[in-house]
Amino acid sequence: MYRLAAFDMDGTLLMRDHKIGGATLNALHQLVENGMILTFATGRHYIDMKGILSHSGINGYLITGNGTRVCDVEGEVLYGMDLPAELVEFVLQTPWQTRASIHIFRDDGWFTDCNDPALLTAHKTSGFQFQLTTLSALPLTGNHKICFIASHQELIELKTQLEQQMGGEADFCFSAVDCLEVLPRGCNKGAALERLSHRLNLTLADCMAFGDAMNDKEMLSRVGLGLVMGNALPQLKQELPQLQVIGRCEQQGVAHYLQHWLSSPHLTYSPEF
């Protein structure tokens, strides 16, 4: 019996209106009633997530910033990892051949020099907003991650530049098709969930997890039961062919799976696409 359920947010729980659907919320509450520990593992900032969960009337452990922070249900930071100061300085001072906008995430918020109101659409539920600033004026320490936002093709080309220049000093992942993240080396949702599980006297074998993007890969591949959304990026499905594919986010596929798991775990699951 699994004892912890970890959920990605965008493309997994959050629908097009950036809210958790009613059927999914009911299923999450049923998990809690059955003694399951809820964990929300996301690229979003802690402030953003607290707003979303408060609006949804649900709570749980939080893995935010793609593993850069792990917090308990009261908001206490259990684990944190930041980018090295010299790497932040290098990224900000290097004239990358790209039109991508740059975004930096710290404990006190989201910072950018790109004033694009369209970026706020995904955060309307929580009210989380970027703070316009001169990026070079930010402290070099205390930075969780750096995000580049542009078209996918442009980011693929940028990723090649970053890897050539920085080698093994950082990790890179696509948290969305239009968002490339620079993360501390070894930092991902899977590693963060392992640390949280250990703190809760569990192992990853005691966990189930749901996700749809490449920043979910380590988490999905390492837990006892990894479940891939029907709307997941093709690359994720290709790299994790051994995992069960369930329904799509817009059809509240997580709720559909959990209702089956809670009522008939011994029967073969058939997703509704």
Side-chain angles (χ1 to χ4, degrees):
M1 179 68 174
Y2 300 106
R3 297 175 59 192
L4 183 152
F7 302 91
D8 167 56
M9 296 301 292
D10 295 87
T12 300
L13 293 187
L14 296 179
M15 303 177 72
R16 288 197 184 98
D17 61 0
H18 307 290
K19 297 178 182 178
I20 303 175
T24 303
L25 278 174
N26 288 338
L28 295 178
H29 284 296
Q30 286 183 52
L31 285 182
V32 173
E33 291 169 4
N34 280 270
M36 289 284 282
I37 298 170
L38 299 187
T39 300
F40 302 96
T42 176
R44 289 176 180 255
H45 194 283
Y46 173 82
I47 297 172
D48 195 11
M49 279 302 301
K50 289 304 291 184
I52 292 171
L53 295 183
S54 176
H55 180 274
S56 304
I58 197 81
N59 203 2
Y61 287 86
L62 285 175
I63 294 172
T64 57
N66 281 323
T68 59
R69 291 292 183 275
V70 178
C71 297
D72 66 14
V73 294
E74 303 300 328
E76 179 183 350
V77 177
L78 303 178
Y79 172 82
M81 182 182 286
D82 294 330
L83 289 165
E86 60 274 15
L87 187 143
V88 174
E89 183 177 31
F90 178 76
V91 171
L92 294 181
Q93 291 186 355
T94 301
W96 305 104
Q97 296 179 23
T98 182
R99 293 169 295 177
S101 58
I102 301 178
H103 306 261
I104 295 181
F105 291 82
R106 303 171 50 82
D107 282 342
D108 49 347
W110 164 19
F111 299 86
T112 183
D113 56 5
C114 174
N115 189 10
D116 183 0
L119 296 174
L120 299 176
T121 302
H123 308 280
K124 62 182 181 180
T125 300
S126 67
F128 187 51
Q129 299 189 32
F130 54 73
Q131 301 178 51
L132 282 174
T133 189
T134 301
L135 295 180
S136 60
L138 290 173
L140 295 177
T141 57
N143 299 294
H144 308 178
K145 64 177 184 175
I146 298 174
C147 300
F148 291 89
I149 296 179
S151 69
H152 188 62
Q153 185 56 47
E154 182 146 2
L155 293 178
I156 288 175
E157 296 170 3
L158 175 60
K159 185 171 182 281
T160 300
Q161 295 180 54
L162 292 168
E163 289 174 334
Q164 289 175 345
Q165 293 290 324
M166 292 194 282
E169 297 178 31
D171 283 346
F172 310 93
C173 78
F174 283 97
S175 57
V177 293
D178 59 354
C179 183
L180 174 64
E181 303 199 354
V182 182
L183 295 162
R185 187 69 175 163
C187 187
N188 57 66
K189 293 182 184 181
L193 183 58
E194 183 173 32
R195 291 186 179 97
L196 175 60
S197 299
H198 181 73
R199 190 177 183 95
L200 296 173
N201 295 316
L202 302 174
T203 69
L204 287 177
D206 298 313
C207 305
M208 61 166 61
F210 300 76
D212 76 305
M214 292 308 295
N215 61 332
D216 299 313
K217 178 184 173 182
E218 292 85 0
M219 176 175 72
L220 294 174
S221 65
R222 297 177 64 187
V223 294
L225 179 62
L227 297 147
V228 178
M229 302 302 295
N231 52 279
L233 296 177
Q235 184 182 354
L236 183 69
K237 293 180 180 179
Q238 292 167 6
E239 295 195 17
L240 299 176
Q242 74 278 16
L243 299 187
Q244 167 83 58
V245 177
I246 65 170
R248 301 177 66 86
C249 179
E250 282 306 307
Q251 280 72 54
Q252 300 190 67
V254 169
H256 186 263
Y257 178 85
L258 289 176
Q259 289 295 344
H260 163 84
W261 184 77
L262 287 166
S263 61
S264 308
H266 57 290
L267 297 180
T268 301
Y269 174 72
S270 177
E272 293 181 350
F273 290 103

